[in-house]
């Protein structure tokens, strides 16, 4: 079974990927090291494509979804700013790769996925790999009111607008990173919630994500 193997070859490819991310502008050493520890090839089911696991590219994972490009994962993670014990809500579990990177940084991760087959497969995979996030099959627009508030909210699909429920579940002093825009291209927004409850927003440029969908998959 290829799933749990991590050979020299993979480790070498991973070191190269980390160097590539560094040259593309990722500066945070903790983030780079976390990506260097996650065996990305174990998140790709079709063993015919294992060689591509460490290319800086998005990759199909079924249900018309993709595992995000490593640069995008690194960029969002760096912007989010997490450390030991940071309570993070992730929208769009997908393959679980981003979830694993957050866990490597010591975060306590709650992640929501709306496609049941992906939720089930990723739950099994992350458990096999020894990762312990809290995974929920549900609608990311609603967040997790019973677990709120969160230090950080990370949206990994392109949202047509900033979901109000997610803003409401952010702690004062907290931060949300979310790609917003309809169509193919989104703007990466970083939204800080001030201690007085007001919000401040920055635009970090254009990115491409699969869309955040409202109704459940058929
Ligand atoms: N973080 C993932 C990225 C997966 S792509 C990774 O590292 O692999 C985005 C994911 O968001 C897809 O799996 C998609 O099914 C999911 N998604 C789309 N709309 C959603 C919603 N409303 N709630 C939760 N997840 C959603």
């Amino acid at each position: 079974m290829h799933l749990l193997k991590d050979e020299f070859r993979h480790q070498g490819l991973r070191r190269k990927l980390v160097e590539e991310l560094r040259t593309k502008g990722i500066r945070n050493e903790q983030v780079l090291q976390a990506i260097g520890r996650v065996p990305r090839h174990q998140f790709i089911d079709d063993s015919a494509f294992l060689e591509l696991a460490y290319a800086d590219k998005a990759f199909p994972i079924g249900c018309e979804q993709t595992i995000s490009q490593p640069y995008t994962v690194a960029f969002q993670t760096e912007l989010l700013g997490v450390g030991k014990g940071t309570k993070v809500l992730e929208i769009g579990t997908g393959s679980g790769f981003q979830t694993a990177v957050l866990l490597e940084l010591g975060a306590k991760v709650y992640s929501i996925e709306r496609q049941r087959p992906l939720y089930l497969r990723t739950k099994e995979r992350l458990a096999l790999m020894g990762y312990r996030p809290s995974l929920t099959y549900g609608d990311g627009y609603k967040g997790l009111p019973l677990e709120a508030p969160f230090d950080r909210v990370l949206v990994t699909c392109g949202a047509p607008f900033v979901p109000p429920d997610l803003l409401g579940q952010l702690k004062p002093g907290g931060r949300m990173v979310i790609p917003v825009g309809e169509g193919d291209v989104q703007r990466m927004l970083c939204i800080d919630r001030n201690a007085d409850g007001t919000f401040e927003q920055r635009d970090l440029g254009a990115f491409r994500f699969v869309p955040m969908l409202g109704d459940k998959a058929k």
Side-chain angles (χ1 to χ4, degrees):
M1 178 159 114
H2 82 267
L3 191 61
L4 294 177
K5 268 206 227 152
D6 188 26
E7 297 170 347
F8 266 170
R9 181 168 68 98
H10 300 126
Q11 292 160 20
L13 289 168
R14 209 140 69 226
R15 272 196 294 277
K16 273 202 192 152
L17 172 63
V18 167
E19 285 322 305
E20 186 176 346
L21 295 176
R22 213 189 286 279
T23 60
K24 287 180 174 173
I26 304 300
R27 290 277 168 269
N28 186 301
E29 276 308 314
Q30 277 76 38
V31 171
L32 289 166
Q33 281 171 26
I35 289 177
R37 283 196 298 271
V38 178
R40 193 167 190 263
H41 63 282
Q42 295 178 0
F43 291 82
I44 289 176
D45 294 300
D46 190 337
S47 54
F49 293 104
L50 283 184
E51 296 303 323
L52 289 175
Y54 294 102
D56 188 21
K57 291 199 168 77
F59 198 86
I61 52 170
C63 300
E64 293 177 2
Q65 303 306 322
T66 56
I67 175 171
S68 298
Q69 183 182 349
Y71 175 75
T72 304
V73 171
F75 187 90
Q76 285 197 296
T77 309
E78 186 172 63
L79 190 54
L80 199 64
V82 304
K84 264 214 164 4
T86 309
K87 190 176 169 188
V88 182
L89 173 63
E90 178 192 28
I91 309 300
T93 316
S95 68
F97 178 68
Q98 170 76 73
T99 314
V101 171
L102 293 168
L103 289 166
E104 287 285 350
L105 285 162
K108 187 165 169 35
V109 185
Y110 297 78
S111 187
I112 309 179
E113 172 57 54
R114 66 178 279 284
Q115 307 250 31
R116 196 163 170 82
L118 277 181
Y119 157 76
L120 291 170
R121 198 197 321 153
T122 297
K123 194 177 161 94
E124 192 184 346
R125 168 186 291 132
L126 289 175
L128 268 174
M129 294 174 78
Y131 290 116
R132 301 270 175 274
S134 165
L135 300 181
T136 301
Y137 165 56
D139 180 7
Y141 281 93
K142 299 195 176 73
L144 289 175
L146 295 179
E147 307 290 350
F150 297 93
D151 299 306
R152 300 286 185 266
V153 175
L154 175 61
V155 180
T156 70
C157 37
F161 54 86
V162 181
D165 285 351
L166 298 186
L167 280 180
Q169 291 174 28
L170 202 53
K171 278 185 197 169
R175 170 173 288 185
M176 182 186 315
V177 172
I178 178 171
V180 178
E182 286 181 274
D184 281 0
V185 183
Q186 294 84 31
R187 306 299 303 181
M188 186 71 78
L189 302 185
C190 176
I191 303 173
D192 287 315
R193 182 170 200 164
N194 300 321
D196 64 7
T198 58
F199 294 96
E200 255 167 73
Q201 180 176 307
R202 284 184 291 148
D203 181 332
L204 282 302
F207 284 80
R208 273 171 200 276
F209 285 82
V210 296
M212 182 169 182
L213 300 171
D215 35 289
K216 296 249 191 279
K218 280 132 210 133

